[in-house]
Amino acid sequence: MSGSDDKTKYQDIKVYQDKKAKAEDFKSSAYTLLLVGILGIAGLILMEAGVLPFHLVGSGKYMTYGVMGTLFVIFIVMGIFSFRSSKQYAQEAETEDDMTDKIKKWALENISAASIKERVIFEDGTPEEVKYFKYFEGIKAAITQEFGALNTSYLEALCEELYAEIFEKDEAFL
């Protein structure tokens, strides 16, 4: 494999963030954007009404109000879109959680440290790091064989969790 092939291979792998966490991120962003947008517009209105002690004068006054008002409206619109995305990810999170539970249940019932060790062949003196990666690949292969192709980053994160659970049971294979 050439160096450029390695770069392409690793560019496709992304750090996995579960859908539930994404939904919470979008929701908190939505609240922040809406709060800043609404408070900003309220501040501009209160400034123009003379309630706040800040006063803009001259011809730049309307340009400032226009630019700031547009900015705050954009914040509100972005907040609304963030809420929509949050709801979408929350629905996807339910599906993902069900799939994760199903895969974990199957894996813990059907995959053991001994079965993974039987699948993987090592030469004498193989370093522990290499064994870890081979065992990890064995878990991935078993899950892929049973459940088909899954999102790469999702599968990697899931196998990380499963590796710890499977090999915790049998410390001899660590």
Side-chain angles (χ1 to χ4, degrees):
M1 191 179 261
S2 71
S4 65
D5 290 339
D6 285 342
K7 287 180 184 176
T8 304
K9 178 182 174 185
Y10 292 113
Q11 286 174 346
D12 293 340
I13 298 175
K14 297 176 182 157
V15 175
Y16 176 71
Q17 183 181 17
D18 68 353
K19 304 281 190 218
K20 200 180 289 184
K22 281 186 179 183
E24 287 302 316
D25 286 348
F26 275 97
K27 192 174 191 179
S28 66
S29 295
Y31 282 127
T32 303
L33 289 165
L34 286 172
L35 180 68
V36 170
I38 291 169
L39 288 177
I41 288 177
L44 290 176
I45 292 170
L46 292 174
M47 280 176 48
E48 183 60 27
V51 175
L52 294 178
F54 306 108
H55 299 286
L56 298 174
V57 293
S59 61
K61 169 181 171 179
Y62 297 109
M63 183 187 281
T64 302
Y65 283 143
V67 170
M68 295 298 288
T70 302
L71 180 69
F72 292 132
V73 168
I74 290 172
F75 283 177
I76 291 171
V77 170
M78 289 173 57
I80 291 168
F81 282 120
S82 287
F83 265 125
R84 287 182 181 167
S85 295
S86 170
K87 288 179 183 179
Q88 177 187 354
Y89 279 116
Q91 291 171 348
E92 290 176 13
E94 290 177 26
T95 305
E96 183 180 86
D97 287 346
D98 291 342
M99 180 64 131
T100 301
D101 291 342
K102 183 178 176 182
I103 292 172
K104 281 185 175 182
K105 183 179 182 211
W106 176 86
L108 294 175
E109 290 173 358
N110 296 292
I111 301 174
S112 66
S115 70
I116 294 297
K117 186 176 181 188
E118 288 173 9
R119 288 181 178 206
V120 180
I121 299 171
F122 298 111
E123 295 179 16
D124 290 339
T126 301
E128 291 299 314
E129 298 84 29
V130 173
K131 287 181 180 180
Y132 165 81
F133 287 111
K134 293 282 188 178
Y135 292 152
F136 187 83
E137 290 300 319
I139 294 169
K140 278 175 53 175
I143 290 172
T144 302
Q145 183 178 357
E146 181 68 22
F147 294 95
L150 299 168
N151 177 294
T152 305
S153 58
Y154 170 72
L155 180 60
E156 295 273 333
L158 187 59
C159 288
E160 278 287 334
E161 291 178 36
L162 287 170
Y163 180 90
E165 290 182 40
I166 290 169
F167 284 89
E168 256 180 23
K169 295 177 185 176
D170 191 353
E171 294 289 327
F173 293 111
L174 287 176

